[in-house]
Amino acid sequence: MKRPLRIGGWRFLLLNGATGAANVVMLANVPGYTVLAPYAAGSLQGVTPSYGTWATTDHMIGIALGLPLSRWFSGRFGDYRVLISALVGYALFSLMCAASETIWFFAPMRFLLGLAGGVALPLAQSVTLAQYPDDQRTVGVGFWGVMSMAPFTIGVFMGGFWAEYFNWRWLFYSNVAVVLLTATVIAALFYGRDVERRVTRFDAIGFFLLATALIGVQTILNMGNDFDWFASPLLAWLLLVVVFTLPMFIIWEFGERRPALDLRLFLHRNFAIATFCSLIGFLVIQGLLSVFVVQLQVLLGYTSSLAGMVYLTMIFLAMAAAAVVHELTRNVDARLIVFLNFIGLAVTFVWLGQYDKSASFDNVATPMFFFGFSLAMFFAPLATLAMAGLAGERLIRAAEELAMLRTVFGAMGITLLGVVVFRRTPFHQLDLADHFGGRRFASLDLLTSFLDRMQAMGMSPQAARSQAAQLIRQQAAILALNDAFLLGAMAFICLAGIIWFAYPSYASKKREQALERLSAEELMEQP
C-alpha cells in the first residue's frame, strides 16, 4: 500500500521544524563564524583575523558550487536521499572544522562544509514545500523567508555566545547535533517512499572551469593583502590560471546545450538588470556586515556576545517584513519597492558612517534595527524582477544562477570591503598625524598640548606618545570603517537609479504560473 503523497498532521509540523532548524544552522555558519573569527584565528596557530576570514569566503564559494550539484544529484538519486546524505556529510565536515589546529586545514574543511550545505539547502526547502497544499504554498514560502532571515540575526548572536561563554569550536559541534537529528527525522518520515528520478545532463567541463575560476579569484582576494598581491609568485600564477580559464569557460558555455551556467539568460533585460543589482547590492551588504562585526570587537572593544546583540536587534523588523514581502511584490511594481529599499539602505549606511568616535551600543544598535527591515526587503522584489519574461525550465535555471552568483559576490564582498578598511586606515592615520602634529597648520599643534596634559597626569613622555599614537590609530580605523559604509551608500544610490531601466513586473494571476514562480522564488531568495 502506497503512502499518501503529502505528509500531514504532526508529521508535517515535525518536518517543517526539523528542516527549518537545519536551514538556520547551515545559513548561520556564515555570519555565525564571522563574529568568532578573531577567536578562531588566535587558536589556529595565532594567525591574524584577516586569515580567519578565509574560512568565511571559502565556505561561501563552497555553497555556491554546491547549488548546481544539488540539482544533478537529486535528479539522479532522489531528492530526500541526497538531502540525507548531504546532511550527514555536513556533520562530518563540521567535526573536521572543530578538530582543526591550523588555518591550512581549517579553510579547506570550511570549503567542503559549504559544498555539503550548498547541496542540502535547496533540497531542504523543496522537499518541505512539496508537502504544502497548493493553496497554502505562499504560507510555506513566507515561512522559509523568515527562516532565511534568522541566520543574519540569531546566527551572529549564537556565534558570539559560543565564543565568549564556551569555545568557538562549539559552533561546529552544535551543527553536528542539529543536522544529524534533521537527517534522522527526514529518513523516518520518508522511509519506504518511491524515489522520483529525472534524467539530467551535467556539464562537468563547464563546472570544472567555473570552479577553477571562482576558487582562483577568491584565493587572490583572500591572500592579496597579506601576500602583497601579485608580487607573490603564487598569486601571480593564480592570476594567469584565472585569465586563461575564464575565456575558455565563456566559449564552452555558449556552445553547450545544458551549460553549468547559462550565460544566455543575461540577454533578457530584466534578468540582467535585476541580477546586476542583486549581486552588487549583496556584495556591499555581506561585506559590510562581516567587516562591521569584526571591527566591533577588534576596534571598539565589544565582546563577541555584545556584538551579536547588536545584530540581534535586526530581527524585529526583519521577521515581519520577510513574512509579508511576497504578497507586497504581487500588488506593487517591484521596481518601486527596490528603489525605496535601496534608498533606505543608503540612508542607513550613511547613518552608520557618520561616527567619528567610539559609538555606544544604543548609537550602533538603532540603525541596525532599521537595517533589518531593508535586508528582509532586499531579496523578493529583485527576484520578481529577474523572473519577468521567463518560464518553465529557464525560470528555474535563472533562480539557481541568481542564488549561486549572489553567494559568490557575497564572498568577494567580505574581502573587498576588508581591503577598503585596510587601505583607508593608514591614509586617515597620516592625515590625523599631520593635523594634530601641526604640520598642516603650524599655529595649531594639538599634539604637543595633548602630550603635555598626559605628562602632567603622571605619564612618562614615552607612555604619553604611545597613548597618542594608539588614539590616532583607533580614530583612523573608525574613519576607514566610515568610508566603507559611505562607499556602500553611494553604491546603493547608483543601483536605485539603474533599477528603473528594467521593465515593470507584476506576478501572473494564473494559478499554474504562480506556483511555478513560487518555486523559483524559493531558490532566488536563498541568502
Side-chain angles (χ1 to χ4, degrees):
M1 180 177 179
K2 290 187 175 181
R3 293 174 180 264
L5 182 62
R6 289 191 175 96
I7 296 173
W10 64 268
R11 294 179 177 84
F12 174 74
L13 297 178
L14 178 61
L15 176 64
N16 277 268
T19 55
N23 182 78
V24 170
V25 165
M26 288 185 286
L27 287 178
N29 263 254
V30 176
Y33 167 77
T34 303
V35 70
L36 53 79
Y39 293 84
S43 296
L44 300 172
Q45 295 183 320
V47 296
T48 62
S50 62
Y51 281 65
T53 59
W54 299 0
T56 303
T57 54
D58 289 349
H59 180 74
M60 295 183 70
I61 295 296
I63 291 175
L65 293 175
L67 294 176
L69 292 176
S70 177
R71 172 170 46 88
W72 182 73
F73 280 138
S74 63
R76 187 172 180 85
F77 302 106
D79 49 8
Y80 77 87
R81 289 183 177 177
V82 174
L83 174 58
I84 294 170
S85 301
L87 291 173
V88 173
Y90 197 88
L92 174 63
F93 294 128
S94 292
L95 281 176
M96 294 297 100
C97 290
S100 300
E101 296 296 335
T102 68
I103 190 66
W104 308 107
F105 181 78
F106 182 62
M109 290 302 102
R110 282 283 288 173
F111 171 80
L112 294 175
L113 183 69
L115 198 66
V119 174
L121 281 167
L123 289 178
Q125 289 190 3
S126 62
V127 165
T128 306
L129 288 170
Q131 306 306 314
Y132 280 82
D134 292 345
D135 58 349
Q136 297 181 11
R137 196 71 174 274
T138 55
V139 177
V141 173
F143 168 76
W144 279 98
V146 172
M147 291 297 100
S148 297
M149 286 299 104
F152 289 99
T153 54
I154 298 175
V156 179
F157 172 74
M158 289 305 299
F161 176 82
W162 287 125
E164 184 173 348
Y165 294 103
F166 293 91
N167 187 286
W168 66 271
R169 300 178 192 273
W170 275 93
L171 173 69
F172 300 102
Y173 291 136
S174 65
N175 291 347
V176 176
V178 174
V179 297
L180 285 184
L181 180 61
T182 301
T184 302
V185 169
I186 294 173
L189 293 176
F190 286 88
Y191 177 76
R193 288 188 171 232
D194 295 333
V195 176
E196 181 182 354
R197 291 185 172 89
R198 303 178 302 276
V199 178
T200 57
R201 177 183 172 88
F202 183 67
D203 180 16
I205 295 178
F207 179 81
F208 173 77
L209 293 173
L210 176 63
T212 302
L214 292 181
I215 294 173
V217 170
Q218 191 58 57
T219 302
I220 291 172
L221 293 175
N222 285 348
M223 302 176 66
N225 263 341
D226 297 301
F227 290 81
D228 198 18
W229 296 98
F230 302 115
S232 165
L234 173 62
L235 298 187
W237 277 107
L238 277 177
L239 178 63
L240 289 177
V241 171
V242 171
V243 170
F244 179 72
T245 303
L246 276 177
M248 290 182 59
F249 170 73
I250 294 172
I251 294 171
W252 176 266
E253 293 301 272
F254 272 112
E256 181 70 13
R257 290 184 60 187
R258 293 183 177 275
L261 187 69
D262 191 354
L263 301 178
R264 298 180 187 88
L265 287 170
F266 288 92
L267 299 177
H268 293 269
R269 181 171 174 175
N270 268 38
F271 180 79
I273 292 174
T275 299
F276 176 80
C277 292
S278 181
L279 300 187
I280 302 301
F282 196 64
L283 181 149
V284 172
I285 289 174
Q286 185 67 62
L288 288 176
L289 284 175
S290 299
V291 169
F292 190 45
V293 74
V294 173
Q295 293 303 318
L296 282 174
Q297 302 171 78
V298 176
L299 179 60
L300 301 181
Y302 280 55
T303 63
S304 59
S305 62
L306 188 60
M309 287 293 293
V310 171
Y311 279 60
L312 193 60
T313 59
M314 298 165 56
I315 195 172
F316 300 103
L317 290 181
M319 292 298 189
V324 301
V325 64
H326 290 277
E327 293 301 323
L328 184 62
T329 56
R330 283 160 174 72
N331 298 291
V332 181
D333 186 354
R335 296 177 305 170
L336 178 61
I337 300 175
V338 172
F339 172 79
L340 294 176
N341 192 46
F342 282 1
I343 295 299
L345 283 165
V347 170
T348 303
F349 289 154
V350 170
W351 191 351
L352 287 166
Q354 290 299 306
Y355 298 115
D356 57 358
K357 61 181 180 180
S358 300
S360 67
F361 179 87
D362 293 342
N363 289 336
V364 175
T366 303
M368 294 298 288
F369 174 79
F370 293 100
F371 179 59
F373 176 83
S374 296
L375 180 63
M377 299 293 292
F378 177 80
F379 300 100
L382 286 169
T384 300
L385 281 175
M387 288 187 296
L390 299 175
E393 184 180 352
R394 292 180 69 95
L395 180 64
I396 301 301
R397 289 300 305 272
E400 292 176 352
E401 291 190 14
L402 178 57
M404 180 179 69
L405 292 175
R406 187 173 56 220
T407 304
V408 169
F409 273 69
M412 293 180 180
I414 294 173
T415 48
L416 288 176
L417 270 296
V419 170
V420 170
V421 174
F422 179 83
R423 295 293 182 181
R424 293 294 292 177
T425 298
F427 170 82
H428 286 295
Q429 188 172 344
L430 181 60
D431 182 66
L432 291 174
D434 286 345
H435 180 77
F436 290 108
R439 287 185 290 272
R440 179 169 298 175
F441 302 103
S443 60
L444 187 62
D445 186 0
L446 299 178
L447 184 59
T448 301
S449 62
F450 175 80
L451 294 176
D452 291 340
R453 290 186 180 182
M454 293 294 102
Q455 293 179 46
M457 294 172 60
M459 282 189 178
S460 66
Q462 290 183 340
R465 288 184 177 277
S466 176
Q467 181 68 21
Q470 181 179 351
L471 288 173
I472 288 176
R473 283 195 297 268
Q474 183 188 41
Q475 294 303 314
I478 291 175
L479 293 175
L481 185 60
N482 288 347
D483 288 346
F485 278 109
L486 295 177
L487 179 63
M490 289 188 289
F492 272 105
I493 290 174
C494 294
L495 293 177
I498 293 174
I499 201 66
W500 290 107
F501 287 97
Y503 296 118
S505 176
Y506 295 93
S508 173
K509 302 299 182 182
K510 295 181 180 180
R511 184 169 176 269
E512 293 182 359
Q513 292 182 0
L515 290 175
E516 189 178 57
R517 296 170 73 88
L518 278 173
S519 299
E521 286 183 17
E522 297 157 13
L523 292 171
M524 283 187 172
E525 295 171 30
Q526 188 71 56

